[in-house]
Amino acid sequence: MKIGIICGSQRSKSQTAKVGVFIQEQLEAQGVDTFVLDLGSTPLPSFDDSFWYEPQGKLQEIWKPISEQLKTCIGFIVITPDWHGMVPSCLKNFFLYTDVNEMANKPGLIIAISASVGGYLPIAELRISSTKNNRLCWIPDHLIVRNVKQCFNQKEVSEDSDDIYIRARLQHSLAILLEYSKALNSVRESGVTNYSTYKFGM
């Protein structure tokens, strides 16, 4: 079992990446393999139509090793900061690259972070606009890490009430994601999908 962790901040040293590392450690402690893509330290070029028309082009060359990793994942965690109530452009750009080969009928857990008490708008944005053609399945559960600078800073829980609560809530959400990952495997193996005919979502 492998879970992909997408850190959707453009900053090279971000709170988003910090949370991603913490989650990676939690999963690997449970025996779950991970693939981490930090879009701050490994940015993707801006997507354009050469991706489709130049199979051996630069964009395809950059994307291929990432795509191969995503294909081996059976579920995803997408971590997004709240920038002016929006998802950062690097994360939207990431989803432009993805398709059914990497993400279809796999569950996704959204985790939004905020330096204060925001975080709900990026979750709504991702649920509305990020899955049309890749067929990723967001699970009903999601997580908002408010006051993120006080959370997930060390292996031992701090006395901060936000940190105590969100660590426990994270474990609950991860457990749900892992069960969805197992359950949706039967959908992927059923053969009912016909994405060659119905390539694009409606």
Side-chain angles (χ1 to χ4, degrees):
M1 178 183 291
K2 182 191 285 187
I3 298 295
I5 302 171
I6 313 302
C7 300
S9 174
Q10 288 153 225
R11 294 174 177 168
S12 58
K13 295 180 180 179
S14 67
Q15 292 292 314
T16 305
K18 179 193 78 174
V19 173
V21 169
F22 182 88
I23 293 171
Q24 179 186 26
E25 292 172 350
Q26 297 298 303
L27 288 172
E28 293 186 349
Q30 299 176 44
V32 178
D33 292 333
T34 59
F35 164 64
V36 178
L37 177 62
D38 180 355
L39 296 172
S41 61
T42 311
L44 286 167
S46 294
F47 185 89
D48 63 54
D49 59 3
S50 67
F51 183 79
W52 295 316
Y53 304 129
E54 297 176 13
Q56 307 301 322
K58 178 183 177 182
L59 296 187
Q60 286 282 3
E61 179 183 354
I62 292 169
W63 179 246
K64 185 176 180 181
I66 298 171
S67 173
E68 293 304 318
Q69 287 283 353
L70 296 176
K71 289 174 185 176
T72 65
C73 296
I74 66 170
F76 297 98
I77 298 167
V78 175
I79 310 168
T80 177
D82 183 338
W83 286 7
H84 295 273
M86 298 182 291
V87 170
S89 59
C90 69
L91 188 51
K92 302 289 280 189
N93 187 53
F94 164 79
F95 280 112
L96 291 175
Y97 279 88
T98 61
D99 65 18
V100 295
N101 294 310
E102 294 114 7
M103 309 195 103
N105 300 304
K106 297 178 183 180
L109 168 65
I110 303 172
I111 298 179
I113 70 167
S114 172
S116 57
V117 294
Y120 68 94
L121 287 172
I123 289 174
E125 183 179 354
L126 286 174
R127 288 193 184 280
I128 289 169
S129 66
S130 57
T131 63
K132 174 179 174 285
N133 290 339
N134 60 35
R135 269 59 164 222
L136 175 65
C137 300
W138 295 123
I139 67 173
D141 220 53
H142 61 253
L143 208 63
I144 302 176
V145 185
R146 297 186 168 104
N147 300 309
V148 67
K149 292 180 181 179
Q150 282 73 53
C151 300
F152 302 140
N153 289 321
Q154 52 193 6
K155 291 185 178 180
E156 297 298 324
V157 64
S158 73
E159 295 181 358
D160 186 277
S161 60
D162 289 325
D163 196 28
I164 294 169
Y165 172 78
I166 207 65
R167 286 178 186 236
R169 188 66 185 257
L170 172 65
Q171 295 304 321
H172 179 256
S173 296
L174 291 180
I176 293 172
L177 175 68
L178 294 177
E179 289 303 312
Y180 267 98
S181 298
K182 297 172 189 175
L184 283 177
N185 189 55
S186 63
V187 176
R188 296 192 298 275
E189 293 182 347
S190 68
V192 299
T193 58
N194 182 0
Y195 293 138
S196 57
T197 302
Y198 305 110
K199 184 176 180 180
F200 303 109
M202 295 183 70

